[in-house]
Amino acid sequence: MSVSLGEPVPDFTATATGDTTVTLSELKGQQVVVYFYPKASTPGCTTEGGDFRDRKEAFDAANTVILGVSRDGIRAQENFKAKQDFNFALISDKDESLCRLFDVIKLKKLYGKEHLGIERSTFLIDADGKLAREWRGVKVKGHAQEVLEAAQTLHDN
């Protein structure tokens, strides 16, 4: 089972940075951005996270929580968050339960070798817990701004 636009996102609980867990149902009443990235502390993922970090006040003003997700372990996520001064939670999805829920594991090619990995993707969940927007196969440049504008539009309606 995976998420569909306009449908409620199934509730989930995940291990996050700061020795916390994130439960989607506890965020009801707020919009939620869930962005998936391939690997902590790599150039594209660092840039993308920084773009979300630098817009966090505007996301807050649009009543929107930011959650970053990868398959990295919690220690790698903690280090990535601390080093980049991220002001939002990073989720460790080692068992790929969230990756499967959002269907972001894809066959990728790197140096001619195929492997399964996270396709950079972002999801915007509305304040009622329904999937409002999705971006798949994301290019980092300008992406966080586009997500912010979508969150602001959704919040204002």
Side-chain angles (χ1 to χ4, degrees), residues 1-4 7-13 24-25 98 101-102 129:
M1 176 165 123
S2 65
V3 299
S4 306
E7 295 294 315
V9 174
D11 197 19
F12 62 80
T13 298
L24 183 62
S25 58
L98 281 183
L101 176 63
F102 287 90

Side-chain angles (χ1 to χ4, degrees), residues 63-153:
N63 192 33
T64 305
V65 175
I66 303 166
L67 299 172
V69 183
S70 76
R71 298 183 300 179
D72 295 291
I74 198 66
R75 181 173 286 134
Q77 297 290 47
E78 291 285 7
N79 291 342
F80 187 36
K81 180 178 176 174
K83 188 172 177 195
Q84 300 304 326
D85 206 20
F86 290 158
N87 46 11
F88 52 86
L90 298 180
I91 290 173
S92 170
D93 191 35
K94 278 185 92 70
D95 69 357
E96 298 181 359
S97 57
L98 281 183
C99 290
R100 284 193 301 275
L101 176 63
F102 287 90
D103 190 29
V104 298
I105 300 288
K106 303 292 179 195
L107 195 59
K108 299 168 82 173
K109 264 198 165 114
L110 186 65
Y111 306 119
K113 289 194 172 95
E114 290 190 337
H115 69 284
L116 287 173
I118 291 181
E119 176 184 52
R120 193 181 305 278
S121 308
T122 302
F123 302 86
L124 176 59
I125 302 167
D126 72 16
D128 296 323
K130 292 188 174 122
L131 184 60
R133 289 281 307 269
E134 63 180 13
W135 294 263
R136 294 182 180 272
V138 165
K139 301 285 177 262
V140 172
K141 190 168 171 49
H143 177 62
Q145 183 62 35
E146 187 181 335
V147 175
L148 173 60
E149 288 165 12
Q152 289 168 330
T153 301

Side-chain angles (χ1 to χ4, degrees), residues 14-15 20 28 42-43 49 60 94 105 118 121 127 136 151 155:
T15 302
T20 62
K28 255 213 164 72
T42 56
D60 289 348
K94 278 185 92 70
I105 300 288
I118 291 181
S121 308
R136 294 182 180 272
H155 180 252

Side-chain angles (χ1 to χ4, degrees), residues 46-61:
T46 299
T47 300
E48 184 178 28
D51 288 347
F52 278 109
R53 175 197 63 219
D54 296 346
R55 289 164 177 77
K56 182 167 184 306
E57 273 185 36
F59 276 105
D60 289 348

